[in-house]
Amino acid sequence: MQRRDFIRQAGAGALAGALGPSLAQAQAERTAFIISGFPAGGMGDQVARPLAEKLRGRYAPGVVVDARVGAGGRIAVDYVRRAVPDGMTILQIPSSPMTLYPNTYRKLSYDPLADFVPVCSTVNYAFVLTAGPGVPAEVRTLADYLKWVQANPQAATYGVPAAGSALHFVGMLLERHGGRKLTAVPYKGGAPLLNDVLGGQVPVSISVLGEVMPYIRSGRLRGLAVSSAQRSPFLPDVPTFVEQGLADVVVQEWLGWFLPARAPRERVQQLNALVGEGLRDPALVDSLARNGLQPFHQSPEEFAQLVRGDLARWAPIVKSSGFTAED
């Protein structure tokens, strides 16, 4: 039987029959799918695959991580939006598609509040303003950098992995509150950006901390500021933007799990509890730390409040920037 037909039949049975025993029996025979919006092998896999192992045999007999890549995560979001709301199709997505995109895109195929049930956050991670060999070695702080770009306006560019990403908006906030004209250079992903920062083709980048952390620790790159409210435990020698006088430059992204709207409440609670248990595993905590990720588990209610708060926070920032995302 094709997976699509199987899902359709299971969904019809759940809606038409008695929800209790019928739903439990259908789920006992099925595989749960964790739908990730980004390629295999990346940050999402570092979270989803270990947690899938923790869920297998407890949440469902089988748990599979399925990458639905494209459109900055929107393809995965829309796929889960249309799935049968029985708890067997789980969305894993960074915060931007759920809290930033609704403010940057004129039209989206989904409503993050109406079309999904927040299950839990799993990890959070900071961004870091990173200088490479294209910047003089004496530039060691944010103040040094802003002074340098004032004297060298032709070099006042920064690379970001994608236009309209949260990292891009960190750059916009830096420009606004740092009082210097800066120009973003968008890339198609973090890997090509990292190559150009290391090679000096772009002077600085705003990158996910885990991607540049090994190079900052080895001295090949310099961390000038981290975007979290407090210093990262993974780069404790790098001060925050806040410490360096830019109190409004605080952005920390999270990775979260959602189910389609109308998913059974008991499945939301069960999934939340099992994920929380998995995130307390010392081996997983150590693995996440090697990639600059911190466990960040909330209840469904706390996570829903976080989503609403981040949606509201981004709205005036995006509006004042004048930025509009293009498909």
Side-chain angles (χ1 to χ4, degrees):
M1 181 183 295
Q2 294 295 318
R3 176 173 174 265
R4 184 179 302 170
D5 296 334
F6 188 59
I7 290 175
R8 186 181 296 116
Q9 290 183 19
L15 292 174
L19 285 180
S22 297
L23 183 58
Q25 182 178 359
Q27 289 167 340
E29 298 170 353
R30 292 190 52 203
T31 296
F33 291 85
I34 301 171
I35 307 299
S36 174
F38 295 89
M43 178 184 65
D45 264 12
Q46 296 158 13
V47 178
R49 293 194 182 279
L51 288 178
E53 292 297 324
K54 305 289 186 184
L55 298 178
R56 191 169 291 121
R58 301 179 70 188
Y59 186 78
V63 182
V64 174
V65 180
D66 184 4
R68 300 274 169 166
V69 179
R74 287 177 288 145
I75 288 175
V77 177
D78 194 54
Y79 179 86
V80 176
R81 176 186 68 84
R82 294 181 284 107
V84 174
D86 58 2
M88 293 291 102
T89 306
I90 304 160
L91 174 66
Q92 175 181 271
I93 202 73
S95 51
S96 288
M98 306 302 272
T99 63
L100 179 58
Y101 292 1
N103 291 297
T104 59
Y105 284 91
R106 289 192 176 95
K107 291 184 179 180
L108 281 177
S109 62
Y110 59 89
D111 182 322
L113 298 179
D115 293 334
F116 298 92
V117 179
V119 175
C120 60
S121 52
T122 58
V123 298
N124 61 22
Y125 49 98
F127 305 142
V128 57
L129 176 66
T130 306
V135 180
E138 60 267 21
V139 174
R140 312 295 301 183
T141 67
L142 183 58
D144 292 341
Y145 171 69
L146 293 174
K147 182 178 179 180
W148 179 72
V149 296
Q150 184 177 26
N152 300 274
Q154 76 285 354
T157 60
Y158 63 94
V160 290
S165 61
L167 299 107
H168 189 179
F169 277 93
V170 170
M172 295 183 197
L173 289 170
L174 171 60
E175 178 181 11
R176 181 191 307 171
H177 299 292
R180 300 289 184 272
K181 175 63 180 175
L182 302 171
T183 301
V185 181
Y187 282 72
K188 292 185 177 180
L193 170 58
L194 177 59
N195 288 336
D196 279 4
V197 176
L198 288 167
Q201 286 83 11
V202 61
V204 300
S205 70
I206 299 173
S207 300
V208 173
L209 184 146
E211 293 182 348
V212 295
M213 180 173 66
Y215 301 94
I216 293 174
R217 288 175 171 175
S218 69
R220 293 186 64 187
L221 296 174
R222 282 159 282 153
L224 303 182
V226 294
S227 66
S228 46
Q230 290 83 34
R231 293 195 185 199
S232 167
F234 311 121
L235 291 174
D237 294 333
V238 179
T240 64
F241 286 99
V242 174
E243 287 179 89
Q244 299 180 82
L246 275 67
D248 291 328
V249 185
V250 180
V251 178
Q252 192 158 11
E253 197 156 52
W254 43 258
L255 197 65
W257 284 23
F258 297 80
L259 291 175
R262 299 178 302 281
R265 179 66 180 171
E266 62 270 20
R267 297 302 274 176
V268 175
Q269 296 288 2
Q270 181 189 19
L271 185 56
N272 180 285
L274 290 172
V275 169
E277 181 182 321
L279 289 171
R280 291 190 292 272
D281 181 349
L284 179 53
V285 172
D286 289 345
S287 174
L288 294 174
R290 289 193 292 273
N291 294 285
L293 303 172
Q294 291 181 280
F296 177 52
H297 180 258
Q298 296 178 305
S299 70
E301 295 76 18
E302 291 168 334
F303 186 39
Q305 184 176 358
L306 176 64
V307 173
R308 290 192 295 268
D310 283 358
L311 264 168
R313 180 183 180 231
W314 278 121
I317 296 173
V318 173
K319 184 176 180 180
S320 64
S321 74
F323 179 86
T324 300
E326 301 290 341
D327 283 315

